[in-house]
Short mmCIF file of all heavy atoms in Angstrom, two decimals:
data_model
loop_
_atom_site.label_atom_id
_atom_site.label_comp_id
_atom_site.label_asym_id
_atom_site.label_seq_id
_atom_site.Cartn_x
_atom_site.Cartn_y
_atom_site.Cartn_z
N MET A 27 -9.35 6.51 42.84
CA MET A 27 -9.37 6.67 41.40
C MET A 27 -9.29 8.16 41.04
O MET A 27 -10.07 8.66 40.28
CB MET A 27 -10.58 6.10 40.76
CG MET A 27 -10.54 4.54 40.73
SD MET A 27 -9.44 3.92 39.48
CE MET A 27 -9.65 2.21 39.76
N GLY A 28 -8.48 8.95 41.70
CA GLY A 28 -8.49 10.36 41.44
C GLY A 28 -7.43 10.79 40.44
O GLY A 28 -7.53 11.76 39.73
N LYS A 29 -6.41 9.96 40.41
CA LYS A 29 -5.27 10.38 39.55
C LYS A 29 -5.52 10.18 38.08
O LYS A 29 -6.04 9.14 37.62
CB LYS A 29 -4.05 9.59 39.98
CG LYS A 29 -3.63 9.79 41.43
CD LYS A 29 -2.14 9.80 41.63
CE LYS A 29 -1.82 10.33 42.96
NZ LYS A 29 -0.39 10.48 43.15
N THR A 30 -5.18 11.15 37.34
CA THR A 30 -5.38 11.03 35.91
C THR A 30 -4.11 11.25 35.12
O THR A 30 -4.11 11.50 33.96
CB THR A 30 -6.41 12.08 35.44
OG1 THR A 30 -5.99 13.39 35.89
CG2 THR A 30 -7.78 11.79 35.98
N ASN A 31 -3.01 11.12 35.85
CA ASN A 31 -1.77 11.38 35.17
C ASN A 31 -1.23 10.10 34.51
O ASN A 31 -0.11 9.67 34.78
CB ASN A 31 -0.73 11.87 36.20
CG ASN A 31 -0.48 10.97 37.33
OD1 ASN A 31 -1.34 10.17 37.60
ND2 ASN A 31 0.71 11.00 37.92
N ARG A 32 -2.07 9.53 33.71
CA ARG A 32 -1.59 8.27 33.06
C ARG A 32 -0.53 8.63 32.08
O ARG A 32 -0.58 9.62 31.36
CB ARG A 32 -2.79 7.60 32.39
CG ARG A 32 -3.30 8.28 31.14
CD ARG A 32 -4.57 7.68 30.70
NE ARG A 32 -5.18 8.46 29.61
CZ ARG A 32 -4.96 8.23 28.36
NH1 ARG A 32 -4.19 7.26 27.91
NH2 ARG A 32 -5.54 9.02 27.44
N THR A 33 0.43 7.78 32.02
CA THR A 33 1.53 7.99 31.07
C THR A 33 1.29 7.12 29.86
O THR A 33 0.69 6.06 29.98
CB THR A 33 2.87 7.62 31.73
OG1 THR A 33 2.76 6.31 32.28
CG2 THR A 33 3.24 8.58 32.86
N PRO A 34 1.76 7.59 28.73
CA PRO A 34 1.57 6.79 27.53
C PRO A 34 2.27 5.48 27.70
O PRO A 34 3.42 5.43 28.18
CB PRO A 34 2.21 7.58 26.46
CG PRO A 34 2.25 9.02 26.99
CD PRO A 34 2.39 8.87 28.46
N GLU A 35 1.60 4.41 27.37
CA GLU A 35 2.23 3.12 27.52
C GLU A 35 3.09 2.81 26.32
O GLU A 35 3.04 3.53 25.32
CB GLU A 35 1.12 2.02 27.59
CG GLU A 35 0.18 2.25 28.70
CD GLU A 35 -1.06 1.41 28.47
OE1 GLU A 35 -0.99 0.37 27.74
OE2 GLU A 35 -2.13 1.72 29.07
N ALA A 36 3.83 1.76 26.40
CA ALA A 36 4.56 1.31 25.24
C ALA A 36 3.53 0.98 24.16
O ALA A 36 2.48 0.48 24.45
CB ALA A 36 5.37 0.07 25.59
N ARG A 37 3.85 1.34 23.01
CA ARG A 37 2.93 1.11 21.88
C ARG A 37 2.69 -0.37 21.66
O ARG A 37 3.63 -1.14 21.67
CB ARG A 37 3.48 1.74 20.59
CG ARG A 37 3.55 3.27 20.70
CD ARG A 37 2.54 3.84 19.81
NE ARG A 37 2.31 5.25 20.14
CZ ARG A 37 1.96 6.13 19.18
NH1 ARG A 37 1.90 5.80 17.92
NH2 ARG A 37 1.71 7.39 19.54
N GLU A 38 1.48 -0.72 21.52
CA GLU A 38 1.14 -2.14 21.42
C GLU A 38 1.35 -2.57 20.00
O GLU A 38 1.25 -1.79 18.99
CB GLU A 38 -0.34 -2.31 21.82
CG GLU A 38 -0.57 -1.91 23.25
CD GLU A 38 -2.03 -1.95 23.58
OE1 GLU A 38 -2.85 -2.42 22.70
OE2 GLU A 38 -2.39 -1.48 24.66
N SER A 39 1.53 -3.82 19.81
CA SER A 39 1.61 -4.35 18.46
C SER A 39 0.80 -5.63 18.42
O SER A 39 1.24 -6.72 18.11
CB SER A 39 3.05 -4.66 18.08
OG SER A 39 3.58 -5.65 18.92
N ARG A 40 -0.49 -5.52 18.82
CA ARG A 40 -1.31 -6.66 18.74
C ARG A 40 -2.08 -6.62 17.46
O ARG A 40 -2.12 -5.62 16.75
CB ARG A 40 -2.31 -6.68 19.92
CG ARG A 40 -2.97 -5.40 20.26
CD ARG A 40 -3.94 -5.65 21.40
NE ARG A 40 -4.13 -4.38 22.19
CZ ARG A 40 -5.24 -4.16 22.88
NH1 ARG A 40 -6.16 -5.07 22.92
NH2 ARG A 40 -5.36 -3.06 23.56
N PRO A 41 -2.71 -7.77 17.14
CA PRO A 41 -3.40 -7.79 15.83
C PRO A 41 -4.43 -6.74 15.67
O PRO A 41 -5.03 -6.34 16.74
CB PRO A 41 -4.05 -9.22 15.87
CG PRO A 41 -3.20 -10.02 16.81
CD PRO A 41 -2.75 -9.01 17.85
N VAL A 42 -4.71 -6.30 14.51
CA VAL A 42 -5.61 -5.18 14.31
C VAL A 42 -7.04 -5.68 14.19
O VAL A 42 -8.00 -4.91 14.28
CB VAL A 42 -5.30 -4.34 13.04
CG1 VAL A 42 -3.96 -3.64 13.20
CG2 VAL A 42 -5.27 -5.25 11.84
N GLY A 43 -7.16 -6.96 14.06
CA GLY A 43 -8.57 -7.52 14.12
C GLY A 43 -9.37 -7.28 12.93
O GLY A 43 -10.54 -7.34 12.97
N ARG A 44 -8.72 -7.06 11.84
CA ARG A 44 -9.41 -6.89 10.57
C ARG A 44 -8.86 -7.80 9.54
O ARG A 44 -7.59 -7.78 9.28
CB ARG A 44 -9.35 -5.44 10.09
CG ARG A 44 -10.05 -5.28 8.78
CD ARG A 44 -10.00 -3.81 8.32
NE ARG A 44 -10.56 -3.64 6.98
CZ ARG A 44 -11.88 -3.38 6.81
NH1 ARG A 44 -12.69 -3.29 7.82
NH2 ARG A 44 -12.36 -3.25 5.57
N ALA A 45 -9.72 -8.61 8.97
CA ALA A 45 -9.22 -9.52 7.94
C ALA A 45 -9.15 -8.78 6.64
O ALA A 45 -10.19 -8.29 6.14
CB ALA A 45 -10.13 -10.71 7.84
N CYS A 46 -8.03 -8.68 6.08
CA CYS A 46 -7.87 -7.98 4.76
C CYS A 46 -6.91 -8.80 3.93
O CYS A 46 -5.89 -9.32 4.44
CB CYS A 46 -7.32 -6.58 4.92
SG CYS A 46 -7.06 -5.72 3.38
N LEU A 47 -7.26 -9.01 2.71
CA LEU A 47 -6.40 -9.84 1.83
C LEU A 47 -5.11 -9.20 1.46
O LEU A 47 -4.18 -9.87 0.94
CB LEU A 47 -7.21 -10.29 0.64
CG LEU A 47 -8.44 -11.07 0.91
CD1 LEU A 47 -9.24 -11.36 -0.38
CD2 LEU A 47 -8.09 -12.42 1.60
N VAL A 48 -5.05 -7.91 1.61
CA VAL A 48 -3.82 -7.21 1.23
C VAL A 48 -2.77 -7.39 2.32
O VAL A 48 -3.00 -7.13 3.48
CB VAL A 48 -4.09 -5.73 1.00
CG1 VAL A 48 -2.79 -5.01 0.58
CG2 VAL A 48 -5.16 -5.53 -0.05
N GLU A 49 -1.64 -7.94 1.91
CA GLU A 49 -0.65 -8.39 2.83
C GLU A 49 -0.13 -7.27 3.76
O GLU A 49 -0.04 -7.48 5.04
CB GLU A 49 0.54 -8.92 2.13
CG GLU A 49 1.55 -9.64 3.01
CD GLU A 49 2.68 -10.22 2.23
OE1 GLU A 49 2.59 -10.47 1.01
OE2 GLU A 49 3.75 -10.48 2.79
N ALA A 50 0.12 -6.11 3.25
CA ALA A 50 0.74 -5.07 4.10
C ALA A 50 -0.29 -4.32 4.90
O ALA A 50 0.06 -3.48 5.72
CB ALA A 50 1.52 -4.13 3.19
N CYS A 51 -1.55 -4.56 4.68
CA CYS A 51 -2.63 -3.80 5.36
C CYS A 51 -2.61 -4.08 6.85
O CYS A 51 -2.60 -5.22 7.34
CB CYS A 51 -4.00 -4.20 4.77
SG CYS A 51 -5.32 -3.22 5.41
N GLY A 52 -2.48 -3.01 7.61
CA GLY A 52 -2.52 -3.11 9.10
C GLY A 52 -1.16 -3.33 9.69
O GLY A 52 -0.99 -3.47 10.89
N THR A 53 -0.10 -3.26 8.83
CA THR A 53 1.20 -3.47 9.40
C THR A 53 1.73 -2.18 10.01
O THR A 53 1.36 -1.06 9.57
CB THR A 53 2.23 -3.93 8.32
OG1 THR A 53 2.20 -3.02 7.24
CG2 THR A 53 1.80 -5.31 7.84
N ALA A 54 2.59 -2.27 10.99
CA ALA A 54 3.17 -1.13 11.62
C ALA A 54 4.01 -0.34 10.57
O ALA A 54 4.71 -0.92 9.77
CB ALA A 54 4.06 -1.52 12.82
N ALA A 55 3.87 0.99 10.66
CA ALA A 55 4.51 1.82 9.68
C ALA A 55 5.97 2.07 10.04
O ALA A 55 6.36 3.16 10.41
CB ALA A 55 3.72 3.14 9.53
N ALA A 56 6.75 1.03 9.96
CA ALA A 56 8.16 1.20 10.29
C ALA A 56 9.02 1.43 9.03
O ALA A 56 10.04 2.07 9.08
CB ALA A 56 8.65 -0.09 10.97
N GLY A 57 8.49 0.89 7.93
CA GLY A 57 9.26 1.02 6.72
C GLY A 57 8.68 1.99 5.71
O GLY A 57 7.78 2.78 6.04
N PRO A 58 9.11 1.93 4.51
CA PRO A 58 8.58 2.76 3.44
C PRO A 58 7.10 2.43 3.14
O PRO A 58 6.71 1.34 3.44
CB PRO A 58 9.48 2.52 2.25
CG PRO A 58 10.11 1.18 2.54
CD PRO A 58 10.21 1.05 4.01
N ARG A 59 6.43 3.35 2.55
CA ARG A 59 5.03 3.20 2.29
C ARG A 59 4.73 2.11 1.23
O ARG A 59 5.25 2.24 0.13
CB ARG A 59 4.45 4.53 1.77
CG ARG A 59 2.92 4.49 1.60
CD ARG A 59 2.42 5.86 1.33
NE ARG A 59 2.74 6.33 0.00
CZ ARG A 59 1.92 6.17 -1.09
NH1 ARG A 59 0.81 5.61 -0.94
NH2 ARG A 59 2.35 6.62 -2.26
N PRO A 60 4.00 1.14 1.59
CA PRO A 60 3.59 0.14 0.60
C PRO A 60 2.67 0.80 -0.44
O PRO A 60 1.99 1.81 -0.17
CB PRO A 60 2.83 -0.96 1.40
CG PRO A 60 3.16 -0.71 2.85
CD PRO A 60 3.44 0.79 2.94
N ALA A 61 2.67 0.23 -1.61
CA ALA A 61 1.84 0.79 -2.67
C ALA A 61 0.38 0.82 -2.28
O ALA A 61 -0.12 -0.06 -1.67
CB ALA A 61 1.97 -0.05 -3.95
N ARG A 62 -0.27 1.95 -2.56
CA ARG A 62 -1.66 2.17 -2.29
C ARG A 62 -2.10 2.25 -0.82
O ARG A 62 -3.19 2.16 -0.48
CB ARG A 62 -2.53 1.10 -2.96
CG ARG A 62 -2.43 1.07 -4.48
CD ARG A 62 -2.95 -0.18 -5.01
NE ARG A 62 -3.00 -0.17 -6.49
CZ ARG A 62 -3.99 0.25 -7.26
NH1 ARG A 62 -5.05 0.72 -6.68
NH2 ARG A 62 -3.87 0.25 -8.54
N MET A 63 -1.07 2.31 0.02
CA MET A 63 -1.37 2.34 1.46
C MET A 63 -1.41 3.79 1.97
O MET A 63 -0.72 4.68 1.47
CB MET A 63 -0.34 1.56 2.25
CG MET A 63 -0.41 0.08 1.95
SD MET A 63 -1.70 -0.78 2.80
CE MET A 63 -1.88 -2.22 1.81
N VAL A 64 -2.16 4.02 2.97
CA VAL A 64 -2.22 5.28 3.61
C VAL A 64 -1.83 5.11 5.13
O VAL A 64 -2.07 4.09 5.71
CB VAL A 64 -3.58 6.02 3.54
CG1 VAL A 64 -3.96 6.30 2.14
CG2 VAL A 64 -4.65 5.14 4.17
N LEU A 65 -1.15 6.15 5.63
CA LEU A 65 -0.70 6.03 7.01
C LEU A 65 -1.84 6.47 7.96
O LEU A 65 -2.42 7.53 7.80
CB LEU A 65 0.52 6.97 7.20
CG LEU A 65 1.11 6.97 8.63
CD1 LEU A 65 1.64 5.62 8.98
CD2 LEU A 65 2.14 8.07 8.74
N VAL A 66 -2.06 5.66 8.89
CA VAL A 66 -3.05 5.99 9.98
C VAL A 66 -2.24 6.18 11.25
O VAL A 66 -1.67 5.17 11.74
CB VAL A 66 -4.15 4.97 10.12
CG1 VAL A 66 -5.08 5.32 11.26
CG2 VAL A 66 -4.96 4.92 8.81
N GLU A 67 -2.28 7.32 11.83
CA GLU A 67 -1.53 7.50 13.04
C GLU A 67 -2.30 8.49 13.95
O GLU A 67 -2.82 9.51 13.46
CB GLU A 67 -0.14 8.17 12.75
CG GLU A 67 0.66 8.30 13.96
CD GLU A 67 2.11 8.76 13.66
OE1 GLU A 67 2.35 9.36 12.61
OE2 GLU A 67 2.98 8.46 14.50
N LEU A 68 -2.36 8.19 15.20
CA LEU A 68 -3.00 9.11 16.16
C LEU A 68 -2.05 9.20 17.34
O LEU A 68 -1.75 8.20 17.97
CB LEU A 68 -4.35 8.46 16.60
CG LEU A 68 -5.20 9.37 17.51
CD1 LEU A 68 -5.66 10.59 16.69
CD2 LEU A 68 -6.47 8.59 17.98
N ALA A 69 -1.54 10.41 17.57
CA ALA A 69 -0.46 10.58 18.55
C ALA A 69 -0.77 10.15 19.94
O ALA A 69 0.04 9.59 20.67
CB ALA A 69 -0.08 12.07 18.54
N SER A 70 -2.05 10.29 20.32
CA SER A 70 -2.43 9.97 21.69
C SER A 70 -2.81 8.49 21.81
O SER A 70 -3.19 8.05 22.96
CB SER A 70 -3.61 10.87 22.14
OG SER A 70 -4.68 10.67 21.24
N SER A 71 -2.82 7.73 20.74
CA SER A 71 -3.27 6.38 20.77
C SER A 71 -2.15 5.40 21.22
O SER A 71 -0.98 5.63 20.95
CB SER A 71 -3.78 5.98 19.41
OG SER A 71 -4.22 4.65 19.42
N ARG A 72 -2.57 4.30 21.84
CA ARG A 72 -1.60 3.22 22.14
C ARG A 72 -1.41 2.41 20.87
O ARG A 72 -0.49 1.53 20.89
CB ARG A 72 -2.19 2.31 23.24
CG ARG A 72 -2.25 3.08 24.57
CD ARG A 72 -2.84 2.23 25.72
NE ARG A 72 -4.20 1.77 25.41
CZ ARG A 72 -5.30 2.47 25.52
NH1 ARG A 72 -5.17 3.78 25.86
NH2 ARG A 72 -6.47 2.01 25.23
N GLU A 73 -2.22 2.66 19.89
CA GLU A 73 -2.05 1.95 18.66
C GLU A 73 -0.90 2.61 17.83
O GLU A 73 -0.95 3.82 17.70
CB GLU A 73 -3.36 2.05 17.84
CG GLU A 73 -3.46 1.30 16.56
CD GLU A 73 -3.41 -0.21 16.74
OE1 GLU A 73 -3.55 -0.76 17.88
OE2 GLU A 73 -3.18 -0.92 15.77
N PRO A 74 0.02 1.81 17.42
CA PRO A 74 1.14 2.42 16.65
C PRO A 74 0.67 2.85 15.31
O PRO A 74 -0.42 2.45 14.83
CB PRO A 74 2.06 1.31 16.51
CG PRO A 74 1.34 0.06 16.66
CD PRO A 74 0.20 0.36 17.54
N ALA A 75 1.40 3.70 14.64
CA ALA A 75 1.11 4.07 13.27
C ALA A 75 1.15 2.89 12.40
O ALA A 75 2.01 1.99 12.52
CB ALA A 75 2.13 5.12 12.78
N ARG A 76 0.12 2.77 11.55
CA ARG A 76 0.01 1.60 10.69
C ARG A 76 -0.32 2.01 9.24
O ARG A 76 -0.92 3.03 9.04
CB ARG A 76 -1.06 0.64 11.17
CG ARG A 76 -0.76 -0.07 12.45
CD ARG A 76 -1.84 -1.02 12.79
NE ARG A 76 -1.80 -1.56 14.13
CZ ARG A 76 -1.04 -2.57 14.50
NH1 ARG A 76 -0.23 -3.21 13.63
NH2 ARG A 76 -1.01 -3.01 15.78
N TRP A 77 0.03 1.20 8.30
CA TRP A 77 -0.39 1.31 6.92
C TRP A 77 -1.74 0.59 6.74
O TRP A 77 -1.90 -0.54 7.25
CB TRP A 77 0.64 0.75 5.96
CG TRP A 77 2.03 1.29 6.09
CD1 TRP A 77 3.14 0.70 6.46
CD2 TRP A 77 2.34 2.65 5.73
NE1 TRP A 77 4.16 1.58 6.42
CE2 TRP A 77 3.73 2.78 5.92
CE3 TRP A 77 1.64 3.75 5.22
CZ2 TRP A 77 4.41 3.97 5.72
CZ3 TRP A 77 2.29 4.90 4.98
CH2 TRP A 77 3.66 5.08 5.22
N TYR A 78 -2.57 1.17 5.99
CA TYR A 78 -3.85 0.59 5.67
C TYR A 78 -4.11 0.86 4.22
O TYR A 78 -3.68 1.88 3.63
CB TYR A 78 -4.98 1.13 6.48
CG TYR A 78 -5.01 0.64 7.90
CD1 TYR A 78 -4.49 1.43 8.91
CD2 TYR A 78 -5.56 -0.57 8.28
CE1 TYR A 78 -4.45 0.97 10.22
CE2 TYR A 78 -5.60 -1.03 9.56
CZ TYR A 78 -5.03 -0.24 10.55
OH TYR A 78 -5.07 -0.68 11.86
N CYS A 79 -4.93 0.01 3.59
CA CYS A 79 -5.46 0.31 2.30
C CYS A 79 -6.23 1.68 2.35
O CYS A 79 -6.90 1.88 3.38
CB CYS A 79 -6.39 -0.75 1.77
SG CYS A 79 -5.83 -2.47 1.90
N ALA A 80 -6.13 2.40 1.29
CA ALA A 80 -7.00 3.61 1.21
C ALA A 80 -8.43 3.14 1.20
O ALA A 80 -8.79 2.15 0.58
CB ALA A 80 -6.66 4.44 0.04
N GLY A 81 -9.29 3.87 1.90
CA GLY A 81 -10.76 3.47 1.92
C GLY A 81 -11.16 2.88 3.23
O GLY A 81 -10.73 3.32 4.28
N PRO A 82 -12.00 1.87 3.18
CA PRO A 82 -12.58 1.29 4.43
C PRO A 82 -11.57 0.83 5.41
O PRO A 82 -11.70 0.97 6.61
CB PRO A 82 -13.40 0.11 3.88
CG PRO A 82 -13.74 0.46 2.47
CD PRO A 82 -12.56 1.25 1.99
N CYS A 83 -10.45 0.27 4.95
CA CYS A 83 -9.40 -0.18 5.86
C CYS A 83 -8.80 0.99 6.64
O CYS A 83 -8.56 0.88 7.86
CB CYS A 83 -8.27 -0.91 5.17
SG CYS A 83 -8.81 -2.56 4.48
N ALA A 84 -8.56 2.08 5.98
CA ALA A 84 -8.00 3.23 6.60
C ALA A 84 -9.00 3.83 7.64
O ALA A 84 -8.63 4.27 8.71
CB ALA A 84 -7.59 4.31 5.60
N VAL A 85 -10.28 3.79 7.24
CA VAL A 85 -11.36 4.26 8.17
C VAL A 85 -11.38 3.35 9.41
O VAL A 85 -11.45 3.85 10.53
CB VAL A 85 -12.71 4.25 7.51
CG1 VAL A 85 -13.84 4.55 8.46
CG2 VAL A 85 -12.67 5.30 6.33
N TYR A 86 -11.27 2.06 9.18
CA TYR A 86 -11.22 1.12 10.26
C TYR A 86 -10.01 1.38 11.14
O TYR A 86 -10.12 1.42 12.40
CB TYR A 86 -11.20 -0.30 9.71
CG TYR A 86 -10.95 -1.30 10.81
CD1 TYR A 86 -12.04 -1.86 11.48
CD2 TYR A 86 -9.63 -1.72 11.15
CE1 TYR A 86 -11.85 -2.84 12.47
CE2 TYR A 86 -9.47 -2.66 12.09
CZ TYR A 86 -10.54 -3.21 12.82
OH TYR A 86 -10.33 -4.13 13.75
N GLY A 87 -8.88 1.59 10.53
CA GLY A 87 -7.65 1.83 11.30
C GLY A 87 -7.76 3.12 12.16
O GLY A 87 -7.29 3.13 13.25
N GLN A 88 -8.34 4.10 11.59
CA GLN A 88 -8.52 5.36 12.32
C GLN A 88 -9.44 5.12 13.53
O GLN A 88 -9.08 5.56 14.65
CB GLN A 88 -9.15 6.41 11.42
CG GLN A 88 -9.28 7.76 12.07
CD GLN A 88 -7.98 8.48 12.32
OE1 GLN A 88 -7.06 8.38 11.52
NE2 GLN A 88 -7.92 9.18 13.43
N ALA A 89 -10.51 4.40 13.33
CA ALA A 89 -11.40 4.15 14.43
C ALA A 89 -10.70 3.29 15.51
O ALA A 89 -10.89 3.53 16.71
CB ALA A 89 -12.64 3.40 13.89
N LEU A 90 -9.93 2.37 15.09
CA LEU A 90 -9.21 1.51 16.01
C LEU A 90 -8.20 2.36 16.84
O LEU A 90 -8.13 2.23 18.07
CB LEU A 90 -8.45 0.42 15.26
CG LEU A 90 -7.66 -0.58 16.10
CD1 LEU A 90 -8.63 -1.47 16.88
CD2 LEU A 90 -6.74 -1.46 15.21
N ALA A 91 -7.49 3.24 16.17
CA ALA A 91 -6.56 4.09 16.89
C ALA A 91 -7.32 4.99 17.87
O ALA A 91 -6.82 5.20 18.99
CB ALA A 91 -5.83 4.99 15.86
N GLU A 92 -8.52 5.44 17.51
CA GLU A 92 -9.26 6.28 18.40
C GLU A 92 -9.80 5.51 19.62
O GLU A 92 -9.77 6.00 20.76
CB GLU A 92 -10.45 6.95 17.65
CG GLU A 92 -9.95 7.99 16.75
CD GLU A 92 -11.01 8.60 15.82
OE1 GLU A 92 -12.20 8.13 16.01
OE2 GLU A 92 -10.70 9.40 15.00
N VAL A 93 -10.20 4.28 19.40
CA VAL A 93 -10.60 3.43 20.51
C VAL A 93 -9.42 3.21 21.47
O VAL A 93 -9.61 3.28 22.69
CB VAL A 93 -11.15 2.08 19.98
CG1 VAL A 93 -11.26 1.10 21.13
CG2 VAL A 93 -12.55 2.28 19.34
N ARG A 94 -8.34 2.98 20.92
CA ARG A 94 -7.13 2.73 21.71
C ARG A 94 -6.47 3.96 22.27
O ARG A 94 -5.45 3.90 22.88
CB ARG A 94 -6.16 1.84 20.92
CG ARG A 94 -6.75 0.43 20.78
CD ARG A 94 -5.80 -0.51 20.04
NE ARG A 94 -6.47 -1.83 19.98
CZ ARG A 94 -5.98 -2.85 19.26
NH1 ARG A 94 -4.92 -2.68 18.61
NH2 ARG A 94 -6.64 -3.99 19.25
N ALA A 95 -7.09 5.11 22.01
CA ALA A 95 -6.63 6.38 22.62
C ALA A 95 -7.52 6.66 23.89
O ALA A 95 -7.15 7.51 24.67
CB ALA A 95 -6.76 7.51 21.66
N LEU A 96 -8.52 5.85 24.09
CA LEU A 96 -9.36 6.06 25.27
C LEU A 96 -8.60 5.58 26.50
O LEU A 96 -7.69 4.73 26.40
CB LEU A 96 -10.63 5.19 25.09
CG LEU A 96 -11.56 5.59 24.00
CD1 LEU A 96 -12.71 4.58 23.91
CD2 LEU A 96 -12.08 6.98 24.15
N PRO A 97 -8.91 6.18 27.65
CA PRO A 97 -8.20 5.69 28.86
C PRO A 97 -8.42 4.21 29.12
O PRO A 97 -9.46 3.64 28.80
CB PRO A 97 -9.02 6.47 30.00
CG PRO A 97 -9.55 7.69 29.28
CD PRO A 97 -9.87 7.23 27.89
N VAL A 98 -7.39 3.64 29.62
CA VAL A 98 -7.43 2.19 29.86
C VAL A 98 -8.52 1.92 30.86
O VAL A 98 -8.69 2.68 31.81
CB VAL A 98 -6.06 1.72 30.44
CG1 VAL A 98 -6.18 0.23 30.86
CG2 VAL A 98 -4.97 1.94 29.46
N GLY A 99 -9.31 0.91 30.60
CA GLY A 99 -10.46 0.65 31.47
C GLY A 99 -11.74 0.87 30.62
O GLY A 99 -12.69 0.13 30.79
N GLY A 100 -11.67 1.80 29.75
CA GLY A 100 -12.83 2.01 28.90
C GLY A 100 -12.68 1.17 27.64
O GLY A 100 -13.56 1.20 26.82
N GLU A 101 -11.53 0.51 27.52
CA GLU A 101 -11.27 -0.25 26.36
C GLU A 101 -11.73 -1.72 26.56
O GLU A 101 -11.50 -2.27 27.60
CB GLU A 101 -9.76 -0.23 26.08
CG GLU A 101 -9.37 -0.94 24.85
CD GLU A 101 -7.86 -0.93 24.66
OE1 GLU A 101 -7.17 -0.32 25.49
OE2 GLU A 101 -7.40 -1.46 23.70
N ARG A 102 -12.35 -2.19 25.56
CA ARG A 102 -12.79 -3.63 25.68
C ARG A 102 -12.37 -4.36 24.47
O ARG A 102 -12.69 -3.90 23.38
CB ARG A 102 -14.28 -3.69 25.80
CG ARG A 102 -14.69 -3.51 27.23
CD ARG A 102 -15.27 -4.79 27.79
NE ARG A 102 -14.94 -4.84 29.22
CZ ARG A 102 -15.26 -5.89 29.99
NH1 ARG A 102 -15.85 -6.91 29.51
NH2 ARG A 102 -14.97 -5.93 31.23
ZN1 ZN B 15 -6.84 -3.50 3.78
#
């Protein structure tokens, strides 16, 4: 386990695991910005850029992106 040259994986598109009633919340940011949504993106994360509601959802999305930026193996 000496090698640390992990390459970025293909960006995942699994569920974000947050129940939100707003339809576009947590969707991959492929299209134009939905109303009231903010972009959450972390370059080093395996989590793709996503739209979230401004506020708690965006905070959640940021945390999720940070968790998924951790080396594989530390992720649960
Ligand atoms: Zn939301």
Side-chain angles (χ1 to χ4, degrees):
M27 288 283 180
K29 299 217 169 185
T30 54
N31 60 333
R32 70 189 171 95
T33 52
E35 304 167 20
R37 294 247 165 149
E38 299 172 10
S39 63
R40 46 177 154 156
V42 294
R44 179 180 175 85
C46 178
L47 297 176
V48 181
E49 190 180 338
C51 185
T53 57
R59 185 171 74 92
R62 298 167 177 267
M63 294 281 160
V64 295
L65 180 65
V66 173
E67 181 174 28
L68 188 64
S70 59
S71 179
R72 295 179 299 283
E73 185 66 12
R76 292 185 191 276
W77 299 116
Y78 286 96
C79 310
C83 290
V85 172
Y86 173 89
Q88 182 69 36
L90 183 69
E92 288 173 3
V93 166
R94 291 183 177 171
L96 297 174
V98 175
E101 182 182 1
R102 275 250 148 181

